[in-house]
Amino acid sequence: MAKEVQKAAFDIEARAKAVVAVDTGTLRRSITSVISNGGLTGTVGPSVFYGKFIEFGTRRMGARPFMRPAAHAVLPKFAQAVAAALRGLR
């Protein structure tokens, strides 16, 4: 299971970096994955404070999502991999 969590986290990171709006590149470089809880938890996101303003928008500027599309693209494959791994435990 830990292998699937790590793969999904790094896939989300790569997709987010590929689609994020780039001005200076700082936001893209700040997107990282952290694996914890014995490999069963993967957290992916930007470390710069303004990442949330790009993702969700502000009153003056519309949203330019990059994390949600990346997660939506990867999560179905992750769910299939987890289901297959659980079937293998029988």
Side-chain angles (χ1 to χ4, degrees):
M1 202 62 64
K3 178 182 171 185
E4 297 302 333
V5 170
Q6 183 176 13
K7 180 180 181 332
F10 291 135
D11 286 350
I12 292 170
E13 177 184 336
R15 284 181 176 269
K17 286 180 173 182
V19 300
V20 69
V22 176
D23 186 16
T24 64
T26 302
L27 176 58
R28 180 174 45 204
R29 285 189 302 275
S30 82
I31 300 170
T32 58
S33 300
V34 176
I35 308 300
S36 58
N37 193 26
L40 298 178
T41 302
T43 306
V44 185
S47 60
V48 294
F49 77 95
Y50 59 86
K52 60 184 163 255
F53 301 117
I54 304 298
E55 178 76 18
F56 297 105
T58 65
R59 288 184 185 173
R60 294 183 195 176
M61 182 180 75
R64 292 182 283 167
F66 56 98
M67 291 306 305
R68 290 173 290 166
H72 289 170
V74 172
L75 289 179
K77 296 174 205 158
F78 173 68
Q80 290 174 350
V82 168
L86 292 174
R87 280 192 300 275
L89 293 177
R90 292 181 185 173

